[in-house]
Structures are given as structure tokens and as C-alpha cells.
Amino acid sequence: MAGKTRKTSAKGAKRSAAKRGSAKPRLLAGGNPQIAKGYGDAPVQTYIAAMPGWKRDVGRKLDALIVRAVPGVHKAVKWNSPLYGMEGDGWFLGIHVFTRYVKVAFFRGASLHPVPPGESKQQHTRYLDIHENDELDEAQFTAWVKQASQLPGERM
């Protein structure tokens, strides 16, 4: 039957599209949700909703603190990680899920005061790792977010 193509009914195509749209995102190594690249709040909220277990609550808290600290912040999901930035100025922060913690990357973290604790192979980047039973210092996190939003962002 070479040269023949399979015909799909409109009803079958709609069913397949609906099935894909309602499917839960796949979790990659370490439990990081696989979310399609997208800009705006919707893909970030999809990522947060797909974060496994206690990490979902951490994601919601971080997102709320960032939005409160930087009104009008721009959001995107790239490379299976939510990014936060300023319009036309690049990204200042990213979030990524690992097996035992949630990693917050401040792309110009070496310029923050005090400097976030996690070192990086990149000269300017610093990390904050949040484990399950860690108590997030919301005031310090918010201060870092405000500072980071005023620095030149990363172009990704």
C-alpha cells in the first residue's frame, strides 16, 4: 500500500487534540516538569501546577513573592524552567526543580547584597536552593528579587 495516506476524521482529530491538551506534563529527571516553551503567565502557571509534591507550594510562593516585588514582571518558560524578567531587559531569575530541592537562579546574583549562598560555575550567577523543610526568608528573598530586577538581565 505504498503511496497511500491514512485518512483521519475530523472527530478523531478533535479527540486527539483534546487528549493532548488534557495530558499531564511529563516529569523529567529530578521531577522537573517538561513544559513547552511559552511566554506569559499561563505557561509558568502550568509549570508550577505540574511541580511534584511539596515543590508545587514552593513554586506558588516564589511566583507570588516575585509578582508582588516586581509589578509587571515578564514571565516565560524556556528550557523547562520558568524565567522572570523585565521587558526589553532580559531575564533576572529562573526556577528549576531537582529531586531534593527547588533551585532559584539569580543570573546577576554576584551583584546582590548580601550575595545568595549558592555558588555557580558562571561568574555572575548565584543560587538559592530550597529543600522540603527549609524556612524561606521571604523578606530576604523579596529584597534579592527587587535588586535583581534592577540589574541588566540575561538574554536567552
Side-chain angles (χ1 to χ4, degrees), residues 63 93 130:
D63 184 70
L93 182 150
I130 304 168

Side-chain angles (χ1 to χ4, degrees), residues 103 116-122 125-127:
K103 181 177 285 295
E119 293 186 11
S120 172
K121 292 178 184 176
Q122 278 92 31
T125 302
R126 292 296 181 270
Y127 299 114

